[in-house]
């Protein structure tokens, strides 16, 4: 299983951030291109793949299922797809590491495979709810054993039938797991969600020759479709969730300006830019191209004012992963009140509790609410020593608070940031000039 991480990161306050950069490839898209490339017939080349540990977990699981994956350059792989019928029963338990996307999306793929697979993860992933994918996949005909709704999952896949699944939560992972299973089911499979979640799976399907019908918060696939490898390499744009930390830092620290190129600008991921603008930052978004159905371009963010912002349930899906860095931005001036974000409690950590506890340790005025939090940035943080709680997004949020603190900050377990952003501390040093 995944080793426990312990390395601390110590940061000193910084006067501001300046510069231009590219961030590593988008994690959500990388998982999808890898899974679809493995399910497709033909060779799929993916460039700019997320170099993080989460996507490596997906690649390793696919290799264990018998998929040949060659590294063909830095952050580039070629998947030799032979269709899901060529997957073979793995010799050992598959390790999804810290990655919820690996475990949930792969469960959807394995639901249609006629053998038994056991999927496990690290301590954080083993605490996260899996019933949300188990229930629809079992309704489609898979047999799945879990430990009180948690990993490890033992999946006995096989013949599936289509269903209409009404998901109680807006979750792209649930939606994607069901759609991937639906490709192998008889009849049509539909998923309806209460609010629109990120639609990368829906946008990726046509690139692999798959037909999907989309309506308002609902999408459907016909079963029995075989994915085909795209003729051209797929280029993954930079991860907007990684870009968000620099955007939030530039917004928070007076005199700052950052320019991030080649970043994914899917409208269901860029809610943080709107939030930063409403909190007083100057934000420019420049959509430059469309790649495999995804918008890609540049963002420029500079410090403006410190305004208060209130976010509610309808705002959450488009910025769910960015709430920790938006909270950190508020900790350095202004105020952020969040409700309708109970999903934060089941991320890599209980992000409401761990964020508020960590912020308080760093001298930030913060209050926990059942489904959100309030952060007040009138008092300057002091810095201190906090634990990352196996959560990469908390490392980024605590690091941002550290930049505006009066004293040094040490983040224990900070190397978990490599789940999505290896090289985070190098980029931080470059942008702050420290
Ligand atoms: C993701 C979906 C979101 C997000 C996660 C990545 C994805 O999770 O928070 O970081 O790639 O589908 P949920 O589906 O649980 O909302």
């Amino acid at each position: 299983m995944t080793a426990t991480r312990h390395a601390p990161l110590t940061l000193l306050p910084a006067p501001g951030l300046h510069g231009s950069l590219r961030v590593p490839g988008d994690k959500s898209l990388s998982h999808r291109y890898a899974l679809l490339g493995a399910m497709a017939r033909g060779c799929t080349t993916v460039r700019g793949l997320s170099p993080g540990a989460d996507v490596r977990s997906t690649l390793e699981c696919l290799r264990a299922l018998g998929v040949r994956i060659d590294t063909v350059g830095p952050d580039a792989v070629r998947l030799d797809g032979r269709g899901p019928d060529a997957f073979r029963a793995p010799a050992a338990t598959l390790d999804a590491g810290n990655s919820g996307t690996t475990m949930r999306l792969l469960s959807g793929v394995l639901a249609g495979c006629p053998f038994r697979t056991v999927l496990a993860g690290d301590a954080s992933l083993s605490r996260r709810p899996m019933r949300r994918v188990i229930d629809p996949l079992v309704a489609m005909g898979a047999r799945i054993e879990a430990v009180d709704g948690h990993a490890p999952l033992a999946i006995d896949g096989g013949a599936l039938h289509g269903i209409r699944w009404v998901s109680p939560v807006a979750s792209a992972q649930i939606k994607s797991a069901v759609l991937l299973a639906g490709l192998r089911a008889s009849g049509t499979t539909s998923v309806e969600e209460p609010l629109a979640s990120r639609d990368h799976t829906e946008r990726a399907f046509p690139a692999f020759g798959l037909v999907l019908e989309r309506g308002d918060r609902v999408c459907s696939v016909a079963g029995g479709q075989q994915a085909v490898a795209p003729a051209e390499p797929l280029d993954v744009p930079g991860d907007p969730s990684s870009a968000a930390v620099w955007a939030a830092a530039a917004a928070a620290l007076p005199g700052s300006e950052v320019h991030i190129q080649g970043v994914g600008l899917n409208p269901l991921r860029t809610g943080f830019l709107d939030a930063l603008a409403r909190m007083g930052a100057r934000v420019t978004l420049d959509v430059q191209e469309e790649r495999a159905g995804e918008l890609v371009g540049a963002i420029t963010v500079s410090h403006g004012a410190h305004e208060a912002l209130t976010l509610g349930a309808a705002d959450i899906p488009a910025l769910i992963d960015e709430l920790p860095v938006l909270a950190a931005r508020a900790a350095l001036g202004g105020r952020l009140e969040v409700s309708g974000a109970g999903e934060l409690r089941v991320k890599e950590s209980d992000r409401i509790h761990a964020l508020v506890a960590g912020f308080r340790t760093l001298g930030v005025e913060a209050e926990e609410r059942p489904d959100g939090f309030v952060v007040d940035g009138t008092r300057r943080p002091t810095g201190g020593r906090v634990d990352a709680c196996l959560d990469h997004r908390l490392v980024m949020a605590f690091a941002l608070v550290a930049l505006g603190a009066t004293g040094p900050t040490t983040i224990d377990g900070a190397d978990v940031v490599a789940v999505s952003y290896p090289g985070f501390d190098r980029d931080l040093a470059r942008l702050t000039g420290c």
Side-chain angles (χ1 to χ4, degrees), residues 271-325:
F272 71 95
L273 287 172
D274 182 50
L276 288 175
R278 289 165 65 199
M279 292 171 91
R282 286 193 290 269
V283 175
T284 314
L285 187 153
D286 179 15
V287 176
Q288 291 160 344
E289 56 174 314
E290 191 175 320
R291 291 185 205 155
E294 293 284 351
L295 302 181
V296 184
I299 57 181
T300 306
V301 178
S302 52
H303 178 74
H306 292 303
E307 307 285 355
L309 175 67
T310 301
L311 296 171
D315 303 307
I316 303 304
L319 45 66
I320 179 87
D321 291 342
E322 291 68 59
L323 283 168
V325 293

Side-chain angles (χ1 to χ4, degrees), residues 28 32 101 104 132 170-173 198 320-321 343 347:
S28 284
R32 286 158 173 81
T101 313
R104 296 196 178 115
R132 50 181 61 195
S171 158
Q173 294 180 355
R198 64 189 66 190
I320 179 87
D321 291 342
E343 272 296 295
K347 293 296 180 187

Side-chain angles (χ1 to χ4, degrees), residues 27-29 31-32 101 104-105 128 132 170-174 176 197-198 200 320-321 343 347-348 351 392-393:
K27 184 160 83 68
S28 284
L29 264 178
H31 287 296
R32 286 158 173 81
T101 313
R104 296 196 178 115
L105 270 59
R128 299 180 66 185
R132 50 181 61 195
S171 158
Q173 294 180 355
I174 300 175
S176 302
S197 66
R198 64 189 66 190
H200 298 306
I320 179 87
D321 291 342
E343 272 296 295
K347 293 296 180 187
E348 285 83 332
R351 269 186 196 154
H392 58 132
R393 307 245 180 254

Side-chain angles (χ1 to χ4, degrees), residues 186-212:
S186 60
T188 298
T189 299
S190 307
V191 192
E192 189 183 321
E193 46 186 358
L195 291 164
S197 66
R198 64 189 66 190
D199 60 356
H200 298 306
T201 302
E202 296 93 304
R203 289 172 186 259
F205 268 23
F208 286 86
L210 298 166
V211 178
L212 168 111

